[in-house]
Amino acid sequence: MSFEEPHGETSGTEGDVLEDDSQAECHGEGDCEGEASAEEIQTKFFNYNANEINSSLFEELHVTKVVTEEVQRSWADFNQAVGSREAVSEAVFSTLYESMRSAQELFKSPRAMSALRFLNGLQTAIRLLEDPPALKNFAEVLGVQHLDIEVTEARVELFRDAFLDMLLAELGDDITLNAQIGWRVLLNYLGGVFIYVRVHYAERLHILSSSWTKATKRTAAAEGADGFHSEDPAAANISGDIEVPQPAEAEHRMPWARNVSGASACSTIEAAQRVPWARDTSGASSASARSSPPQAPKKMTWVRNFSPASNASTCASSQKDHALQDVTNSQIPTNFNDMFLFNAAVMGFNTQLWMLEVLASMDGIVSNVAKSQNLLEHCSVLVLRLSKYRGSINLREYKTVMLSSLRSLVTDWGSSHEFAWSWLWENVENLIRGMLGKPPMQEKALGAFLSSLDEQAVMHIRREVFAKFFLLQPTGQDYFKQSTTRLHFISDKVFAYTLEIFRAPREMVDDLSALGLRHVGYGIPTDLFPAFVDACAQVVREMAEDAAADAFAWSLSLIARILTRVIDEGSTIVMKAINVNSTSQLRKALDCAPRGQRAAWMLTIQVGTQSISPLLWAIEAGSIDAAKGILEDLLTIRADREQYYYGMDDLFHRHPDIIKRLCLDATALLPVLLDGLVWRSRTTEEGKRRVNYYIKHLLVDSEGFFAPALEWITETKDPALICHPILNIVMDRVWGEVAIPTFLFGKLWFLFTLVIFVLSESVLNHLKPIQHEGEDALVEPIEVRASIFACRIFIYTFSMGQQFLYHTKCAMRDIRYRRFIRIGPLHVPEYLSNVQEFSGFCLLCVLLLMLTMEPILYCLRHQNKGELLVWHCKEADQTREFYAVLSAIATLLYAMLLSDLAVFSAKMSAFRLICGRLLSELGLFASATIFLTLTFACAASALEQANPDFAGIAKSGVQFMRITLGMFSTHFDLLSEYPVLMVVGVIYVIISMIFMLNVLTAQIVCAYSLAYQDMLGYARLNRCMILVSTMEAVPQQRFQNFVRSLRLEEPLEFGEGDVGVPGGIQVREPACLNATTRDAILRFGGTTATSEPWPYHADANRVLTDAEHFEKLEKLMEKATKRSRRRSNGSSSNNGASLFSTGGTSSSTGASMIGTSSRSSQK
């Protein structure tokens, strides 16, 4: 048996102590100095006695004043004998814990907090012995808190006897008979109440659940299955037009990673409250404190220097003030939230903003009324949120509005509903009232303690927490495998959370839910949390005062309850299969899922406002087998008589960036995903096969724009992946019907600018000039000079201007998103990693240099008999030659950029890409040749020879390079005068011209053979990159018209008259291309209810994994072992029977002999 009081004591109503006549006479006459017998005392307790546990009724317990005083005196003596309050709580709880070994698993809270609450509850019950009505109310509250605990009469008796033995062992003869009987009666009474409440309140709970479902207009389908719906009303939108007003939601990040910034004062305060701790930042701005927090001399603080209560209350009030205004002008509400706001406005409670916090927590309270730990958690969080409001809080006002709203919404409302809801709210009110008002004091005490810790004390806490934890729970060492510094980091976060939950309870609940869901993926057992809380509480109690220690223990216990609930709710059988990376367990888990919720089981686990995706977790955790199984199951088409089930839309709605995640973390799963988007018919019609390509989510995103799926796949640079049929379909359709006009327009414009550039730099400047009379200089005609000037103005304005705008936009985009690549010591924008983009940037730089060195600009002041726009003048003589070099480089860059036109032909594109891939081999050859040339040039210069062609390193190097290129003009016979130089030259020729050239040929052949296998893939990669860049310039209206022409919203046929699922296009391919021997659709008969799971289906064509092979082998070995054992047991039993029946054996032997002789005669 266990009974725990809520945080704080519940005061009962004042009343007279009921005594019987004999007791009154005894006090009046003064002649009752001795103690009454046990039988006489037991008769004074009416329906309750010291020997039996009465669980069939629930009435007030009337105890005489003498017995009450004896019980209270014995309890005071026990407290004095044991010592401190902690020792008393530990002794009592140990007695309870050890007396019921079979029920120890029911105690899920940390030991320290359970012992403290148990002690508080017991002390309150002892104090209320003088007030039977108050004791009855308190016992009912305790019974409600223990609805989910199986309290039995046997367990109550065990604890009662063990508790009395503990008192007798400690007090001895000091405990009187009245005290012993009083203790027995009190414990029997409380235990009987617990059993009574558990047995008789089931109907009351059913009334609460059914009426709440009607009031909130919630259906079973909306709630989900298997715990996937949210129990947090702040996250779950109750149907209706008016939602519960919530403060501005913060970013869903952990507290230590939040961005403390905002435009308004409220957002700044809320963001500052979410920082777990910071160094002392007095006198510094918040921005500077975040960037470089000043170090305190000797103190490490977990606190901030502002008053959170007033600021939070002001912000919450400003954000919620509109919620209860002008509600009466709206339509008649149809759900509980709307009706509550309506009635609150009508009843004049517009200014009671705290009601919105209770309203937001109402769903969690009603849903967890039978779960004591969850109910206590919701009430505790609600109290923390209510503590942010100043002014009086009258919970009975909320009850009035609540009952009025429920009466309006529940059509079959009756007296049983009135009683059930009143009972619920009274218990919740008792829980809240016991805690209300204490969080501010606890926050102050805990904040003062944490701020007083210096570096040495913090280091002591870090060490002792895990030392005590490993002592209390040795198995925890198997899960904490990180380094010591990581454990210290965890310890710091734990202490930060205990204070932060007082200051920002709403945000902390969200953050703890996210943290708990991550622990679901880690496979952390919840049994470790109580031991960890106890270890932390023991360390703090050794260093802090009682107020701070109690506040810390209460806060950490609440955090542990939240994490335990999240982990328990999130630990589905699917997640357990993912943790062990088992596809067989995954299939067994999914076989239990309703067919309508099968996809949700694999994509969403919702707890509160936080959710986790089993698929995404499997990918991030490296459980590739499980992730592959999930993708295959989602993209398998199943059908019954009513409808088809296909998880494509669910997958991409839950994870729009699933292709990006696979490209980054699990490229091997991309073919699995793409294969699941293709359906091929098993049957053929006139040599053709139906093929459905479900390209919707590869083509269009959720907002109707071109999906980035092709861009993500292109970034993998996988030539085999890009050749997948569905990607070919998408690229070819988009390229041919959408992108090619824009691409051609851009390239035609680029080709036009190239023609203009060639005219100005390579054609017009070579026309025959004319010579004026009396002048030696030649001058082009004015028409030629004007044409060249116009062409260059066009190039500098349109070609260079266009390049400047484009590269500025790309560079600013990469700088904004901090996307850089490192080239040596420099960081350059990422877009320059593309060869075409880099060539365009180089062209821009060359054109800018040409503009600065333009000869026409240098000759503007030069006038030669009135000739204008000339470029031959003294001022331009120094730059004209360099300008011509730049012009030649720009021509080459223009041609390189024009090579994209090869994309129209797959063969030309593949040839261009292969040439680019073989350039690396040529570069290696050039490097080796340069090294050989320098080496032999140095060697030739060191010889004693007078050949002028090899005089020095420079001349020798030039001659050796000419030998390599076949340009050596000097005959080798002239080197006969210097035999050593002749030998050096011959050796160089053998190495460079014979050996190195053959090595280059072999390298190119090998590289080409490797590249040729993926030649088509590289060509498609190039086309896909051009397609992605071109789609940025495609008008949105043209793309939308193209999407509408595909009719993706229309279902595709799987056969004649068999209408399937939408989202794709259907083509007919030759039957010989992709032979399909089995139907890709799993069809099932039987029931068509969405709440029923699919029947078991054994896939005979599926390839078993190694683990499944071993599992199958183990089962076969177990069967063989059992079979051999049965045979051995059968033979031994037959032998035993033959020993005890010799006569029978003889007769059977004779019979066998007769049978043998008869068979012999027949033969």
Side-chain angles (χ1 to χ4, degrees):
M1 182 194 69
S2 166
F3 55 92
E4 301 170 358
E5 187 199 12
H7 189 63
E9 299 179 355
T10 305
S11 59
T13 58
E14 298 294 334
D16 298 332
V17 179
L18 301 179
E19 301 178 357
D20 60 357
D21 296 338
S22 61
Q23 183 66 28
E25 282 184 8
C26 183
H27 284 299
E29 298 175 359
D31 55 352
C32 299
E33 298 179 359
E35 292 184 352
S37 64
E39 291 77 6
E40 294 176 352
I41 295 177
Q42 291 180 30
T43 58
K44 302 175 183 179
F45 298 133
F46 304 102
N47 295 319
Y48 301 97
N49 57 63
N51 295 324
E52 297 178 356
I53 300 171
N54 194 343
S55 59
S56 60
L57 54 86
F58 180 27
E59 298 178 352
E60 296 179 359
L61 175 64
H62 295 266
V63 183
T64 60
K65 186 175 182 180
V66 173
V67 174
T68 300
E69 292 176 351
E70 291 293 338
V71 170
Q72 294 174 347
R73 184 183 302 109
S74 63
W75 179 247
D77 295 340
F78 177 76
N79 280 265
Q80 185 177 1
V82 174
S84 63
R85 181 166 173 262
E86 292 75 17
V88 173
S89 63
E90 180 63 27
V92 175
F93 188 79
S94 297
T95 302
L96 170 66
Y97 196 77
E98 296 298 331
S99 63
M100 294 185 294
R101 294 185 178 273
S102 61
Q104 290 181 358
E105 68 275 3
L106 301 177
F107 298 93
K108 300 178 181 180
S109 299
R111 185 183 181 94
M113 284 305 302
S114 297
L116 185 61
R117 291 201 304 270
F118 187 89
L119 179 64
N120 291 336
L122 186 59
Q123 288 178 337
T124 303
I126 296 171
R127 178 174 57 82
L128 295 179
L129 273 174
E130 301 174 350
D131 190 350
L135 179 61
K136 180 182 178 182
N137 294 335
F138 179 70
E140 185 179 14
V141 171
L142 293 179
V144 172
Q145 295 182 29
H146 292 75
L147 280 175
D148 57 338
I149 298 179
E150 187 179 359
V151 181
T152 62
E153 294 186 5
R155 289 174 176 174
V156 174
E157 292 176 355
L158 287 174
F159 170 70
R160 180 196 65 194
D161 297 339
F163 185 82
L164 288 175
D165 292 342
M166 178 191 67
L167 292 179
L168 290 172
E170 192 66 36
L171 300 179
D173 297 336
D174 293 338
I175 183 171
T176 63
L177 179 61
N178 285 338
Q180 296 180 35
I181 295 178
W183 277 110
R184 294 177 68 89
V185 172
L186 176 61
L187 296 178
N188 287 346
Y189 175 73
L190 294 176
V193 171
F194 291 177
I195 300 173
Y196 179 89
V197 169
R198 180 179 174 84
V199 173
H200 293 83
Y201 282 22
E203 180 63 25
R204 192 173 302 178
L205 297 178
H206 175 71
I207 292 174
L208 292 174
S209 177
S210 60
S211 58
W212 181 248
T213 301
K214 295 178 182 178
T216 55
K217 306 299 181 185
R218 183 178 301 171
T219 61
E223 292 182 0
D226 198 52
F228 283 98
H229 67 281
S230 171
E231 292 185 352
D232 191 345
N237 288 332
I238 301 174
S239 60
D241 298 332
I242 303 177
E243 297 181 357
V244 178
Q246 299 291 345
E249 293 183 359
E251 295 179 0
H252 294 296
R253 305 176 184 171
M254 297 311 294
W256 58 86
R258 285 198 174 106
N259 180 19
V260 190
S261 62
S264 64
C266 292
S267 61
T268 303
I269 292 173
E270 290 178 356
Q273 289 177 343
R274 291 194 296 269
V275 180
W277 74 74
R279 302 284 181 177
D280 187 9
T281 58
S282 57
S285 65
S286 59
S288 62
R290 291 192 304 271
S291 59
S292 58
Q295 302 292 332
K298 295 183 179 180
K299 303 287 185 181
M300 174 177 286
T301 62
W302 277 290
V303 296
R304 294 177 298 275
N305 296 323
F306 63 90
S307 175
S310 60
N311 292 331
S313 177
T314 303
C315 293
S317 299
S318 63
Q319 292 167 350
K320 295 185 176 182
D321 188 45
H322 69 282
L324 298 178
Q325 304 296 331
D326 300 330
V327 184
T328 55
N329 296 329
S330 62
Q331 298 179 353
I332 298 177
T334 59
N335 59 66
F336 181 78
N337 281 4
D338 300 352
M339 184 63 72
F340 185 93
L341 297 176
F342 181 85
N343 288 330
V346 171
M347 295 180 181
F349 296 135
N350 301 55
T351 59
Q352 304 298 323
L353 300 180
W354 60 267
M355 288 188 177
L356 298 178
E357 295 289 357
V358 185
L359 180 61
S361 303
M362 196 63 193
D363 186 67
I365 292 174
V366 178
S367 301
N368 294 280
V369 63
K371 303 176 182 177
S372 60
Q373 295 298 321
N374 293 354
L375 180 63
L376 184 60
E377 173 199 330
H378 281 81
C379 292
S380 300
V381 174
L382 176 59
V383 169
L384 291 175
R385 290 161 64 171
L386 291 177
S387 64
K388 302 301 178 184
Y389 291 86
R390 291 187 173 182
S392 60
I393 295 178
N394 188 353
L395 296 175
R396 295 190 179 277
E397 295 177 353
Y398 183 89
K399 177 184 177 182
T400 303
V401 182
M402 176 191 71
L403 292 178
S404 177
S405 304
L406 290 171
R407 296 189 195 104
S408 304
L409 296 171
V410 181
T411 56
D412 58 345
W413 185 270
S415 59
S416 59
H417 293 79
E418 190 84 17
F419 181 77
W421 281 97
S422 300
W423 166 81
L424 169 65
W425 186 250
E426 288 174 0
N427 286 277
V428 172
E429 185 177 347
N430 290 332
L431 285 173
I432 296 175
R433 186 183 294 114
M435 296 180 283
L436 198 61
K438 294 184 178 181
M441 296 182 293
Q442 292 175 329
E443 177 185 353
K444 182 178 180 181
L446 183 57
F449 165 68
L450 295 180
S451 62
S452 65
L453 297 175
D454 55 15
E455 189 69 34
Q456 184 178 0
V458 171
M459 185 57 66
H460 172 75
I461 289 176
R462 292 169 176 171
R463 290 193 303 265
E464 290 298 319
V465 163
F466 285 96
K468 291 183 178 296
F469 170 64
F470 294 146
L471 185 63
L472 294 174
Q473 189 66 267
T475 58
Q477 301 180 64
D478 298 333
Y479 295 92
F480 288 89
K481 304 175 183 178
Q482 299 87 350
S483 62
T484 304
T485 55
R486 176 65 180 175
L487 297 182
H488 291 174
F489 173 81
I490 296 174
S491 176
D492 292 345
K493 290 304 176 184
V494 168
F495 279 77
Y497 284 166
T498 56
L499 183 59
E500 186 67 16
I501 198 170
F502 284 108
R503 294 176 170 172
R506 184 191 303 275
E507 290 79 5
M508 278 302 301
V509 170
D510 293 342
D511 295 335
L512 290 173
S513 298
L515 182 63
L517 286 176
R518 286 201 297 273
H519 281 72
V520 171
Y522 300 148
I524 301 297
T526 56
D527 299 341
L528 300 179
F529 285 103
F532 187 81
V533 172
D534 290 337
C536 295
Q538 291 177 17
V539 173
V540 172
R541 198 165 293 280
E542 294 172 357
M543 303 176 62
E545 297 180 355
D546 291 343
D550 293 343
F552 177 84
W554 183 82
S555 174
L556 189 57
S557 178
L558 175 59
I559 293 172
R561 281 199 298 271
I562 295 175
L563 291 175
T564 301
R565 173 182 58 83
V566 172
I567 294 175
D568 289 340
E569 294 178 2
S571 297
T572 62
I573 52 180
V574 174
M575 287 298 296
K576 293 178 181 178
I578 292 174
N579 289 336
V580 297
N581 194 22
S582 173
T583 54
S584 59
Q585 292 189 22
L586 178 66
R587 287 194 301 274
K588 293 177 182 178
L590 294 177
D591 287 341
C592 305
R595 60 188 66 181
Q597 292 291 327
R598 190 180 182 99
W601 279 38
M602 295 178 281
L603 295 175
T604 304
I605 296 178
Q606 183 80 28
V607 179
T609 59
Q610 302 296 321
S611 65
I612 188 175
S613 170
L615 171 61
L616 203 59
W617 180 262
I619 295 172
E620 294 177 352
S623 301
I624 301 300
D625 292 341
K628 180 181 178 181
I630 291 176
L631 286 176
E632 291 176 346
D633 192 275
L634 283 171
L635 300 178
T636 298
I637 303 177
R638 295 178 175 84
D640 53 25
R641 294 185 304 275
E642 294 292 334
Q643 59 180 323
Y644 285 93
Y645 294 84
Y646 188 36
M648 177 189 64
D649 290 336
D650 295 328
L651 173 62
F652 283 94
H653 289 164
R654 181 69 174 91
H655 300 296
D657 60 341
I658 182 61
I659 294 181
K660 180 179 180 181
R661 301 306 298 265
L662 293 179
C663 291
L664 295 176
D665 301 328
T667 312
L669 296 179
L670 279 173
V672 179
L673 173 63
L674 298 178
D675 289 341
L677 300 178
V678 180
W679 173 84
R680 286 185 171 87
S681 174
R682 182 171 56 88
T683 60
T684 60
E685 301 173 4
E686 298 180 355
K688 298 290 184 178
R689 189 190 308 275
R690 294 176 185 261
V691 183
N692 293 350
Y693 293 99
Y694 293 96
I695 64 173
K696 174 182 177 181
H697 299 286
L698 299 179
L699 183 64
V700 189
D701 62 7
S702 58
E703 298 179 357
F705 296 99
F706 181 66
L710 289 179
E711 180 180 1
W712 295 331
I713 293 175
T714 304
E715 291 175 354
T716 63
K717 300 186 184 302
D718 188 348
L721 180 64
I722 201 66
C723 293
H724 195 278
I726 193 170
L727 298 180
N728 292 339
I729 286 290
V730 175
M731 283 192 296
D732 293 343
R733 297 294 294 267
V734 176
W735 173 257
E737 301 183 32
V738 181
I740 195 169
T742 303
F743 176 77
L744 283 177
F745 177 78
K747 287 304 175 183
L748 289 176
W749 170 256
F750 187 80
L751 183 61
F752 178 70
T753 58
L754 175 58
V755 171
I756 299 297
F757 182 82
V758 172
L759 283 175
S760 64
E761 302 295 337
S762 302
V763 178
L764 295 177
N765 60 340
H766 289 291
L767 294 179
K768 186 177 181 180
I770 61 175
Q771 183 178 7
H772 294 282
E773 297 180 359
E775 294 290 340
D776 296 333
L778 297 177
V779 181
E780 290 78 3
I782 184 62
E783 295 83 1
V784 175
R785 284 181 277 126
S787 300
I788 292 177
F789 180 75
C791 289
R792 293 185 179 179
I793 288 295
F794 179 86
I795 293 297
Y796 295 141
T797 303
F798 294 100
S799 180
M800 187 183 71
Q802 181 187 15
Q803 292 288 337
F804 180 80
L805 293 176
Y806 174 76
H807 287 283
T808 301
K809 181 184 69 174
C810 294
M812 293 301 296
R813 180 183 59 194
D814 285 349
I815 292 173
R816 183 185 307 135
Y817 294 106
R818 300 183 179 275
R819 296 183 297 196
F820 298 98
I821 58 174
R822 187 167 182 173
I823 303 178
L826 301 178
H827 289 78
V828 298
E830 185 184 19
Y831 83 99
L832 293 177
S833 60
N834 185 277
V835 177
Q836 293 293 105
E837 301 290 354
F838 182 74
S839 300
F841 180 75
C842 293
L843 177 61
L844 173 62
C845 296
V846 171
L847 291 178
L848 287 173
L849 290 175
M850 290 177 63
L851 178 61
T852 59
M853 297 183 180
E854 176 60 49
I856 297 178
L857 298 179
Y858 279 89
C859 297
L860 283 178
R861 297 183 180 180
H862 177 76
Q863 294 183 358
N864 184 11
K865 292 184 179 183
E867 298 292 343
L868 301 176
L869 305 177
V870 298
W871 60 86
H872 294 286
C873 61
K874 296 181 180 180
E875 290 81 355
D877 289 342
Q878 298 179 353
T879 61
R880 190 183 301 111
E881 184 176 356
F882 187 62
Y883 178 86
V885 174
L886 292 176
S887 177
I889 295 175
T891 304
L892 296 177
L893 292 174
Y894 269 112
M896 184 178 296
L897 291 174
L898 198 62
S899 63
D900 277 348
L901 290 175
V903 73
F904 288 103
S905 173
K907 292 184 178 180
M908 291 180 60
S909 180
F911 177 77
R912 170 178 170 269
L913 292 172
I914 286 180
C915 291
R917 291 175 63 85
L918 296 181
L919 285 178
S920 60
E921 307 298 333
L922 186 60
L924 293 175
F925 172 78
S927 302
T929 302
I930 293 173
F931 174 76
L932 287 174
T933 300
L934 292 177
T935 302
F936 279 89
C938 294
S941 300
L943 297 176
E944 290 292 337
Q945 47 89 15
N947 192 316
D949 293 334
F950 293 90
I953 296 176
K955 291 184 177 181
S956 300
V958 172
Q959 296 302 324
F960 282 120
M961 186 61 67
R962 295 174 67 182
I963 291 173
T964 304
L965 299 177
M967 301 170 59
F968 186 60
S969 60
T970 304
H971 297 288
F972 283 95
D973 56 1
L974 299 178
L975 300 178
S976 60
E977 301 177 2
Y978 309 101
V980 180
L981 181 60
M982 184 71 174
V983 172
V984 171
V986 171
I987 295 174
Y988 178 80
V989 170
I990 294 173
I991 295 177
S992 63
M993 299 185 66
I994 300 176
F995 178 74
M996 292 300 298
L997 284 177
N998 285 281
V999 170
L1000 174 63
T1001 304
Q1003 287 289 101
I1004 290 177
V1005 169
C1006 293
Y1008 181 82
S1009 62
L1010 292 176
Y1012 182 79
Q1013 300 175 1
D1014 298 324
M1015 181 176 62
L1016 183 60
Y1018 286 116
R1020 288 198 169 274
L1021 272 176
N1022 183 52
R1023 173 179 287 189
C1024 192
M1025 288 188 289
I1026 295 175
L1027 172 63
V1028 170
S1029 60
T1030 304
M1031 287 301 296
E1032 297 179 0
V1034 171
Q1036 181 63 18
Q1037 185 61 36
R1038 185 197 303 171
F1039 177 71
Q1040 291 179 354
N1041 292 337
F1042 164 71
V1043 173
R1044 282 194 292 268
S1045 67
L1046 296 178
R1047 300 180 180 178
L1048 298 177
E1049 69 281 357
E1050 295 183 3
L1052 301 179
E1053 288 186 349
F1054 291 127
E1056 188 175 1
D1058 186 6
V1059 181
V1061 294
I1065 59 176
Q1066 185 174 102
V1067 299
R1068 293 178 181 266
E1069 66 179 16
C1072 59
L1073 286 184
N1074 298 281
T1076 304
T1077 59
R1078 64 188 185 94
D1079 191 358
I1081 303 175
L1082 301 181
R1083 302 182 183 273
F1084 299 91
T1087 179
T1088 61
T1090 58
S1091 59
E1092 293 296 324
W1094 293 107
Y1096 174 75
H1097 173 75
D1099 190 357
N1101 297 320
R1102 188 179 61 84
V1103 179
L1104 299 179
T1105 62
D1106 293 340
E1108 291 172 338
H1109 278 297
F1110 280 116
E1111 183 179 357
K1112 188 176 181 180
L1113 182 60
E1114 289 178 357
K1115 291 181 179 179
L1116 291 176
M1117 293 179 65
E1118 289 179 359
K1119 290 182 180 179
T1121 304
K1122 292 179 180 179
R1123 190 179 299 111
S1124 62
R1125 288 177 180 175
R1126 285 197 299 267
R1127 290 178 180 177
S1128 60
N1129 293 335
S1131 61
S1132 61
S1133 62
N1134 292 335
N1135 293 335
S1138 63
L1139 292 175
F1140 289 100
S1141 57
T1142 54
T1145 303
S1146 302
S1147 61
S1148 62
T1149 302
S1152 64
M1153 293 177 64
I1154 295 172
T1156 302
S1157 61
S1158 63
R1159 286 193 296 270
S1160 301
S1161 62
Q1162 290 176 0
K1163 291 181 180 180

